[in-house]
Amino acid sequence: LRKSSAGAPLSKEERKTLTVLSDTADRLSTSLQEVKSKYNDGTIKLSIKKTGTTTSASAKEASPKSSAFEDLEGDFPNYATLIYDGPYSEHIEKKEPVFLKGKTEVTEQEARKKAALFMKTDEGKLKSAGTGDGKIKTYMFSMQKGNGNISIEVTKFGGYILQAIDSQDGGEKTISAEEGVKKAAAILNSIGFPDMKESYYTENDGILTVNYAATENSVICYPDLIKVAVSLHDGSLRSLDTYGYLMNHRKRNPGEPSVPAGIASKKVNGGLKILSSSLAVIPTSGKNETFCHEFKCENGKGKHFIVYVNAKTGIEENILILIEDENGTLTI
């Protein structure tokens, strides 16, 4: 991308690399479907491990020495990285919680009150479940609900809802994904996270998980990520994760781009058709951020890409491949 931005032609080897990357996305989609089938028929068992505010999943086949996900990962080239939670979600682990700086410390009782208000329940029904000692310190609570369990974490500084999980099933689908997105947005507004824009979503087993990013003067700020999952049965909350937002959100004042969209669009590869454009803030591979034009594009085979061009320098910064199916969208 940087070579192309500098006006240098791509070699045959470089074009071959891009083709292989595209093929990788197709193979990944097929392999994930195979993993899902093995999980459904019991060949793979999924275990969840939770430490502080980090939840990880691992899939093990019948042999304890074999991991289906590790096998899947080993089949692919090193240069393609799957981003499970939407663009740039992996960046948030590298920083300190900017939004919580200077926020007042709350007591456990104050945190319990905020948790009860959010869950619309009596404080007495929430049991203390210890504390979270990750980069964001939290009070943890839990309660029974129906045939499931609810866990919720409230930040020690500021008293914000960091994470909430309702283990109940999604139920029979009665509302559309579009209606689910609106329900998720209403939940964010109710707890004080306005001006959020949905970017990507996935739908599985009656649960719609939506990735939201903050906006500032119509500029999408991808580091400020919030994930909301709702039931497509009744639109009720199934999970909430505000970690990215609390880690990164602040006033940025990006201003006007030095390079107009029309000029920046000329940096997009000629083999791609630009479908739409907007402005966005994206993180670099370090701890900085870049103000970019975001171009959503399509190639001759109907596959979609997102190309980011620096709005200050006109240099191409990044490209994402969209993996789209009936369940939603992932990016690599």
mmCIF file of all heavy atoms in Angstrom, residues 112-121 123 126:
data_model
loop_
_atom_site.group_PDB
_atom_site.id
_atom_site.type_symbol
_atom_site.label_atom_id
_atom_site.label_comp_id
_atom_site.label_asym_id
_atom_site.label_seq_id
_atom_site.Cartn_x
_atom_site.Cartn_y
_atom_site.Cartn_z
ATOM 1 N N ARG A 112 -22.831 -0.999 43.550
ATOM 2 C CA ARG A 112 -23.967 -1.915 43.567
ATOM 3 C C ARG A 112 -25.248 -1.183 43.145
ATOM 4 O O ARG A 112 -26.080 -1.729 42.413
ATOM 5 C CB ARG A 112 -24.139 -2.500 44.970
ATOM 6 C CG ARG A 112 -25.224 -3.584 45.073
ATOM 7 C CD ARG A 112 -25.493 -3.914 46.537
ATOM 8 N NE ARG A 112 -24.289 -4.355 47.210
ATOM 9 C CZ ARG A 112 -23.843 -5.618 47.224
ATOM 10 N NH1 ARG A 112 -24.531 -6.551 46.597
ATOM 11 N NH2 ARG A 112 -22.735 -5.933 47.861
ATOM 12 N N LYS A 113 -25.407 0.038 43.620
ATOM 13 C CA LYS A 113 -26.590 0.834 43.280
ATOM 14 C C LYS A 113 -26.647 1.099 41.776
ATOM 15 O O LYS A 113 -27.710 0.987 41.148
ATOM 16 C CB LYS A 113 -26.567 2.154 44.058
ATOM 17 C CG LYS A 113 -27.791 3.020 43.841
ATOM 18 C CD LYS A 113 -27.737 4.265 44.721
ATOM 19 C CE LYS A 113 -28.988 5.111 44.537
ATOM 20 N NZ LYS A 113 -28.969 6.313 45.414
ATOM 21 N N LYS A 114 -25.487 1.428 41.165
ATOM 22 C CA LYS A 114 -25.447 1.681 39.729
ATOM 23 C C LYS A 114 -25.755 0.406 38.944
ATOM 24 O O LYS A 114 -26.451 0.434 37.928
ATOM 25 C CB LYS A 114 -24.080 2.241 39.331
ATOM 26 C CG LYS A 114 -23.848 3.683 39.789
ATOM 27 C CD LYS A 114 -22.472 4.168 39.406
ATOM 28 C CE LYS A 114 -22.259 5.615 39.831
ATOM 29 N NZ LYS A 114 -22.813 6.591 38.907
ATOM 30 N N ALA A 115 -25.219 -0.720 39.433
ATOM 31 C CA ALA A 115 -25.470 -1.999 38.767
ATOM 32 C C ALA A 115 -26.946 -2.369 38.836
ATOM 33 O O ALA A 115 -27.539 -2.834 37.853
ATOM 34 C CB ALA A 115 -24.620 -3.094 39.397
ATOM 35 N N ALA A 116 -27.566 -2.161 39.988
ATOM 36 C CA ALA A 116 -28.984 -2.485 40.160
ATOM 37 C C ALA A 116 -29.857 -1.594 39.280
ATOM 38 O O ALA A 116 -30.845 -2.056 38.689
ATOM 39 C CB ALA A 116 -29.373 -2.321 41.629
ATOM 40 N N LEU A 117 -29.500 -0.328 39.175
ATOM 41 C CA LEU A 117 -30.255 0.605 38.338
ATOM 42 C C LEU A 117 -30.169 0.183 36.873
ATOM 43 O O LEU A 117 -31.171 0.195 36.147
ATOM 44 C CB LEU A 117 -29.707 2.016 38.509
ATOM 45 C CG LEU A 117 -30.440 3.141 37.766
ATOM 46 C CD1 LEU A 117 -31.872 3.283 38.289
ATOM 47 C CD2 LEU A 117 -29.699 4.472 37.934
ATOM 48 N N PHE A 118 -28.980 -0.237 36.456
ATOM 49 C CA PHE A 118 -28.788 -0.659 35.074
ATOM 50 C C PHE A 118 -29.567 -1.935 34.773
ATOM 51 O O PHE A 118 -30.207 -2.063 33.714
ATOM 52 C CB PHE A 118 -27.296 -0.890 34.805
ATOM 53 C CG PHE A 118 -27.013 -1.477 33.453
ATOM 54 C CD1 PHE A 118 -27.272 -0.765 32.284
ATOM 55 C CD2 PHE A 118 -26.483 -2.750 33.330
ATOM 56 C CE1 PHE A 118 -27.016 -1.308 31.035
ATOM 57 C CE2 PHE A 118 -26.220 -3.305 32.085
ATOM 58 C CZ PHE A 118 -26.490 -2.583 30.939
ATOM 59 N N MET A 119 -29.555 -2.872 35.713
ATOM 60 C CA MET A 119 -30.243 -4.136 35.501
ATOM 61 C C MET A 119 -31.723 -4.064 35.860
ATOM 62 O O MET A 119 -32.455 -5.041 35.712
ATOM 63 C CB MET A 119 -29.581 -5.243 36.334
ATOM 64 C CG MET A 119 -28.130 -5.524 35.981
ATOM 65 S SD MET A 119 -27.834 -5.837 34.220
ATOM 66 C CE MET A 119 -28.928 -7.217 33.898
ATOM 67 N N LYS A 120 -32.187 -2.910 36.363
ATOM 68 C CA LYS A 120 -33.582 -2.693 36.753
ATOM 69 C C LYS A 120 -34.032 -3.736 37.773
ATOM 70 O O LYS A 120 -35.058 -4.406 37.604
ATOM 71 C CB LYS A 120 -34.479 -2.710 35.523
ATOM 72 C CG LYS A 120 -34.152 -1.607 34.516
ATOM 73 C CD LYS A 120 -35.050 -1.664 33.295
ATOM 74 C CE LYS A 120 -34.681 -0.559 32.300
ATOM 75 N NZ LYS A 120 -35.517 -0.597 31.073
ATOM 76 N N THR A 121 -33.229 -3.870 38.828
ATOM 77 C CA THR A 121 -33.532 -4.832 39.876
ATOM 78 C C THR A 121 -33.234 -4.216 41.235
ATOM 79 O O THR A 121 -32.677 -3.120 41.332
ATOM 80 C CB THR A 121 -32.691 -6.115 39.681
ATOM 81 O OG1 THR A 121 -33.139 -7.113 40.583
ATOM 82 C CG2 THR A 121 -31.210 -5.854 39.917
ATOM 83 N N GLU A 123 -31.274 -3.731 44.732
ATOM 84 C CA GLU A 123 -29.875 -3.868 45.123
ATOM 85 C C GLU A 123 -29.626 -5.148 45.902
ATOM 86 O O GLU A 123 -28.576 -5.795 45.751
ATOM 87 C CB GLU A 123 -29.442 -2.664 45.975
ATOM 88 C CG GLU A 123 -29.419 -1.356 45.221
ATOM 89 C CD GLU A 123 -29.002 -0.203 46.121
ATOM 90 O OE1 GLU A 123 -28.100 -0.402 46.955
ATOM 91 O OE2 GLU A 123 -29.594 0.888 46.000
ATOM 92 N N LEU A 126 -28.397 -8.401 44.167
ATOM 93 C CA LEU A 126 -27.052 -8.494 43.614
ATOM 94 C C LEU A 126 -26.072 -8.964 44.676
ATOM 95 O O LEU A 126 -25.936 -8.346 45.726
ATOM 96 C CB LEU A 126 -26.602 -7.130 43.063
ATOM 97 C CG LEU A 126 -27.304 -6.651 41.794
ATOM 98 C CD1 LEU A 126 -26.881 -5.223 41.480
ATOM 99 C CD2 LEU A 126 -26.971 -7.564 40.618
#
